[in-house]
Amino acid sequence: MLTHKGTVTLTTKRLILRRLTIDDVPAMFRDYATDGKMTKYLTWEPYTDMEKLREFVEKRVADYENIMYYHWAVTMGGEFIGTINLHAIFDEAERCEMGYCIGSKWWNKGVMTEAAAEVIRFAFEELNANKVSASHDTQNAASGAVMRKNGMKQEGLLREHSMRKDGTRGDMACYAILRSEWEKIKNKKYEYLPLREN
């Protein structure tokens, strides 16, 4: 069985992963929720109304009362840059699924690879998970790279599994890592590039 702790604060070399708060809404609206590049392969459309985003965040904040709810704001230097979560949680099978997204201004800096590594560690070391899964649209190569860099292996392909925003059907690549596999690579060190200047 999994050992639930709820969304506790996690830290890495560059990042703090913490609960979302209402105070995050302005930064989320500016650099994340309105980002059409980021949402291209996601199921939701970019926000155009900050109050609608506020309503969404209020619901997520309320969800934190559930000890089985795992949804982190990814922050760097105190700045909100994205989210990462664990969902599709199965206690008896000791497995869960990971999802993530980050504003496009922070792409290609290894930030989500770093955040995912910490969430995978949390799942195995603190939740007692045996397996962490994730999936991505095959056209979203960068998302798959995050999975592979964290030792996840492709287990299958769901053909024409999603409907993209442009009306085409998308294949989903399914990845996972087992605790036994993670134990062999958990001390791997990453070289992180500095955040680019704006």
Side-chain angles (χ1 to χ4, degrees):
M1 295 291 288
L2 296 178
T3 305
H4 290 290
K5 296 189 173 185
T7 306
V8 298
T9 299
L10 307 174
T11 60
T12 72
K13 182 178 179 180
R14 298 182 295 175
L15 310 173
I16 295 177
L17 280 56
R18 56 159 176 79
R19 294 183 176 192
L20 284 166
T21 72
I22 296 301
D23 291 340
D24 290 319
V25 171
M28 290 179 73
F29 190 77
R30 182 185 66 241
D31 296 323
Y32 170 84
T34 56
D35 187 345
K37 291 181 181 179
M38 184 198 73
T39 61
K40 181 177 180 180
Y41 297 107
L42 301 180
T43 57
W44 50 277
E45 296 289 343
Y47 279 79
T48 57
D49 184 341
M50 189 183 294
E51 286 308 307
K52 293 292 185 183
L53 178 62
R54 185 181 302 276
E55 291 174 9
F56 169 82
V57 174
E58 286 174 347
K59 291 177 182 177
R60 301 294 76 78
V61 170
D63 287 337
Y64 289 129
E65 294 182 12
N66 181 354
I67 199 171
M68 293 177 62
Y69 182 70
Y70 301 97
H71 192 123
W72 291 269
V74 180
T75 67
M76 177 184 283
E79 185 176 13
F80 176 96
I81 63 174
T83 60
I84 188 167
N85 68 76
L86 293 174
H87 58 278
I89 294 167
F90 295 88
D91 276 354
E92 291 187 2
E94 297 178 343
R95 61 183 171 88
C96 55
E97 198 167 324
M98 179 174 63
Y100 46 78
C101 46
I102 185 172
S104 60
K105 66 187 288 187
W106 294 283
W107 288 357
N108 303 315
K109 298 299 177 186
V111 175
M112 197 48 74
T113 299
E114 185 175 343
E118 177 58 15
V119 169
I120 290 170
R121 180 208 65 77
F122 172 79
F124 288 136
E125 287 193 343
E126 301 190 44
L127 299 188
N128 193 42
N130 182 63
K131 183 177 184 178
V132 178
S133 305
S135 60
H136 72 92
D137 187 298
T138 53
Q139 288 189 1
N140 188 1
S143 185
V146 169
M147 298 171 197
R148 290 189 298 276
K149 287 177 182 177
N150 276 295
M152 303 181 90
K153 299 178 180 179
Q154 186 170 348
E155 295 189 327
L157 181 71
L158 301 177
R159 298 176 300 155
E160 297 188 1
H161 193 68
S162 64
M163 182 65 74
R164 301 188 182 109
K165 291 182 173 65
D166 65 3
T168 62
R169 299 183 186 278
D171 295 343
M172 298 294 291
C174 304
Y175 281 75
I177 184 169
L178 304 176
R179 180 172 17 195
S180 59
E181 296 168 335
W182 176 79
E183 288 285 352
K184 297 175 183 178
I185 64 167
K186 65 181 180 180
N187 295 319
K188 178 181 178 181
K189 303 298 181 185
Y190 295 102
E191 290 297 325
Y192 298 116
L193 297 173
L195 190 65
R196 65 175 176 268
E197 297 292 333
N198 291 327

